Amino acid sequence: MSMAVLPWHLLDKLNTRMIQQNCWIICIFIILTSFYYTMRIDKQIIDQHNQSLAQKHKRAFDYVSQDIAGIEEIIDKLRKFQIGIPSWALGTGGTRFGRFGGKGEPGTLEQKIEDVGLLHALNASSGTISLHIPWDIPSDPDRIKEHAATFGLGFDAVNSNTFQDQKGQELSYKYGSLHHVDPKVRKQAVDHNIEVIKHGISLGSKAITVWLADGSSFPGQLNFREAFQNTLESLQEIYKHLPEDWKMFIEYKAFEPYFYSTTIGDWGQSLLLANKLGPKAYTLVDLGHHLPNANIEQIVSLLLMEGKLAGFHFNDSKYADDDLTAGAIKPYQLFLIFCELVDGMDARGIDHATGLGWMIDASHNLKDPLVDLLQSVEAIMIAYAQALLVDRDALREAQQNNDIVRAQEILQDTFRTDVRSIVAEARLRDGAALNPVALFNELDIRSKLVEERGSDTVATGL
Ligand code: LRH
Ligand code: MN
């Protein structure tokens, strides 16, 4: 809904004398109704919030930035760094044991775009949406693109889905999709991925993420070599349909939904495929897709070294693919991953903001999905800001001297530096909120979404 559809008829009810006497009330009333109706946060409301926090913020920012050389470059990098929001995680997620649905969820793709628009207005770091097909098919791509553009949003990688059978689907993916023993099933899955690329092209996306549930749950169920070969040949068919400037992100996962083998089960298998496919194929790292205690930062450094790192699905986990808020369980690991990213990207001259796919993939079972996403973005921005602070020359020198104590001191000193005001300063300079979560709650946005959408809308997705 654009600003043009403001409820002018409501104004008639106000008698003219009151208008003359209370133009201030009218202005606030218009702002509130415009916010209320178009799910947009008016700049004045964000400015008022920032004014109320300005002094506290300035004290914190001046204190931490006084000792930081190159603070302006760091803030510039933070401002350019945009994180892709998953269209499938804007509603309440669940597990096989149940789902405790939230209210005011986005029931349409347009409303999902409005929700991401809210996030972006609050933190200026949520500038793209990653769509999942067929959960979020853009029926009218031009109108969807236009709608997203009014919130300053673009479209990140599109995701295919051959891990569920859709209504009316001819052949089942119960025993897999691209690795299936039946070439007809493989063709059906290949055609779906080609369809997804077409949707992405119509939205201006530049990549497709292929995650395959394909695997087995019992020894003897699968011929591993044939499954891998079928997957490779199927991906080669899809690869032929990638436009020149597109990338294919191959997402690996150790287990689930199958519990004996996964055909693309780790970074080695994904990299093997990416190398065999060609220069447009890369390996995507979902932080929750590793066996316990895997050294993800080492995997990241090697994929970057090989020039085959696609990007990320950020989340956090304690046990398995828990899809929790980024940085909620292992913030030090997230920091170490960004240390390898900054070092590896600079070593290859990769632009931090545009060189890789920065996306969240989480499932919000308990917290408000929008608040959870604000917290994930904040944790990612903090890890990136801290990694930018690392004195890499000093670290290199310590490594060259096997000075482990010094190396650890350099990393932990940075990790223990409170950079929240630096991340907030970057937001402030882009007209976003100093404290997005606080403003989200202050404005009671979820209640306004319920007022607008009702309490029974359910978002498509996990
Ligand atoms: C698989 C996965 C994949 C998505 C799905 C929603 O676990 O991480 O990225 O397609 O979640
Ligand atoms: Mn994922």
Side-chain angles (χ1 to χ4, degrees), residues 86 154 170 186 209 225 274 282 299 303 365 375 385 415 425 462:
E170 193 197 338
R186 298 201 296 270
T209 297
R225 285 177 287 104
Y282 298 80
I299 295 170
L303 287 170
N365 306 354
Q375 291 181 312
F415 179 67
E425 178 67 19
L462 277 184

Side-chain angles (χ1 to χ4, degrees), residues 227-292:
F228 187 88
Q229 205 50 39
N230 289 343
T231 303
L232 174 60
E233 286 161 18
S234 304
L235 287 171
Q236 281 165 336
E237 276 310 305
I238 300 166
Y239 191 93
K240 291 177 190 156
H241 291 80
L242 292 175
E244 225 14 71
D245 60 351
W246 266 55
K247 293 179 177 177
M248 175 189 280
F249 296 166
I250 303 170
E251 184 178 0
Y252 59 88
K253 182 174 181 179
F255 66 91
E256 190 206 35
Y258 304 111
F259 300 102
Y260 174 62
S261 77
T262 300
T263 301
I264 311 181
D266 64 23
W267 70 282
Q269 293 163 19
S270 170
L271 182 60
L272 203 52
L273 288 165
N275 284 339
K276 288 175 184 287
L277 285 163
K280 295 181 208 167
Y282 298 80
T283 292
L284 184 126
V285 177
D286 183 313
L287 300 190
H289 287 189
H290 301 84
L291 293 174

